[in-house]
């Protein structure tokens, strides 16, 4: 059982996900606080000085990647795990470069989150994929990389990719393609 000295901030705009994760982590002895947007997250972080935080990559009106350095500036000792339903290699690399302790693809449960916080170093024995990613997966990751390069601006990304903005929006509304 974890001591109450471990304060965990959940930052996610999905209220049901927050409720479920909050309840599960509270039962495990964590002192949990919740924020649903970037402004609220920074306020909560400054007030409560969490030791850990989960950060949704795609918040309703902002990017978790933009919020990550601001959170670490507010609470430098905080370990942050980025969570996303829109994973890509580009965003995973950027999250780690920006200071995230780990990066997890949703759906996740409390045990997955806690394991991500516990891991202090990489695993050289991780299983390598047998097959290369599909062309659809490579396309998805390329779109995510270009979107990241344009700070989430869909119009600029569509221009850079040479596609219509509405086409890009439709592609982005779909779930990421599996390997």
């Amino acid at each position: 059982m974890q001591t109450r000295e471990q304060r965990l901030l959940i930052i996610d705009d999905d209220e049901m996900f927050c409720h479920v994760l909050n309840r599960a982590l509270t039962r495990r002895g964590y002192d949990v606080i919740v924020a649903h947007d970037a402004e609220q997250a920074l306020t909560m972080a400054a007030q409560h000085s969490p030791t850990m935080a989960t950060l949704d990559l795609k918040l309703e009106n902002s990017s978790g990647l933009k919020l990550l350095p601001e959170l670490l500036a507010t609470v430098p000792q905080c370990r942050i795990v980025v969570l996303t339903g829109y994973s890509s290699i580009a965003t995973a690399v950027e999250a780690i470069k920006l200071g995230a302790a780990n990066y997890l693809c949703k759906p996740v449960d409390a045990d997955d989150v806690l394991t991500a916080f516990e891991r202090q170093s990489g695993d050289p024995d991780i299983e390598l994929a047998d097959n290369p990613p599909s062309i659809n997966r490579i396309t998805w990751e390329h779109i995510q990389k270009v979107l990241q390069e344009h700070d989430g601006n869909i119009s600029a990304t569509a221009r850079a990719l040479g596609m219509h903005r509405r086409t890009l929006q439709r592609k982005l509304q779909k779930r990421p393609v599996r390997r």
Side-chain angles (χ1 to χ4, degrees):
M1 188 69 117
Q2 189 62 38
T3 65
R4 285 272 177 202
E5 295 170 6
Q6 294 289 350
R7 183 165 293 138
L8 195 147
L9 172 60
I10 299 171
I11 307 163
D12 201 304
D13 54 6
D14 181 340
E15 292 187 26
M16 183 55 73
F17 176 78
C18 289
H19 175 74
V20 171
L21 189 58
N22 180 351
R23 198 168 72 196
L25 292 169
T26 300
R27 284 183 180 156
R28 287 168 173 82
Y30 288 84
D31 183 11
V32 180
I33 48 180
V34 176
H36 298 294
D37 60 44
E39 185 178 325
Q40 191 180 33
L42 289 171
T43 300
M44 293 288 199
Q47 288 176 353
H48 300 283
S49 297
T51 55
M52 298 177 287
T54 62
L55 173 59
D56 189 18
L57 182 67
K58 193 171 183 176
L59 296 168
E60 188 171 330
N61 295 318
S62 62
S63 162
L65 289 179
K66 289 185 186 236
L67 180 57
L68 183 56
E70 294 178 62
L71 277 171
L72 288 171
T74 304
V75 279
Q77 80 286 0
C78 188
R79 289 182 45 82
I80 299 172
V81 172
V82 173
L83 305 177
T84 185
Y86 300 90
S87 64
S88 73
I89 293 171
T91 56
V93 169
E94 290 306 314
I96 299 303
K97 283 182 180 179
L98 290 169
N102 217 321
Y103 180 99
L104 295 177
C105 303
K106 289 180 181 177
V108 296
D109 61 23
D111 292 331
D112 296 331
V113 170
L114 294 176
T115 299
F117 280 118
E118 290 169 6
R119 291 206 49 214
Q120 297 289 324
S121 61
D123 181 2
D125 297 322
I126 194 163
E127 190 175 318
L128 301 176
D130 290 334
N131 301 322
S134 69
I135 191 70
N136 290 336
R137 180 65 189 196
I138 292 169
T139 302
W140 170 261
E141 291 192 7
H142 179 66
I143 289 170
Q144 293 299 314
K145 178 179 177 274
V146 175
L147 184 63
Q148 171 68 30
E149 289 170 356
H150 290 91
D151 297 322
N153 184 316
I154 292 175
S155 295
T157 302
R159 280 191 299 276
L161 293 170
M163 70 172 54
H164 195 278
R165 182 182 49 80
R166 286 190 194 129
T167 302
L168 178 58
Q169 285 176 315
R170 281 193 295 275
K171 287 182 178 287
L172 291 171
Q173 287 175 345
K174 295 179 181 177
R175 287 277 179 205
V177 179
R178 296 278 179 215
R179 300 238 162 232

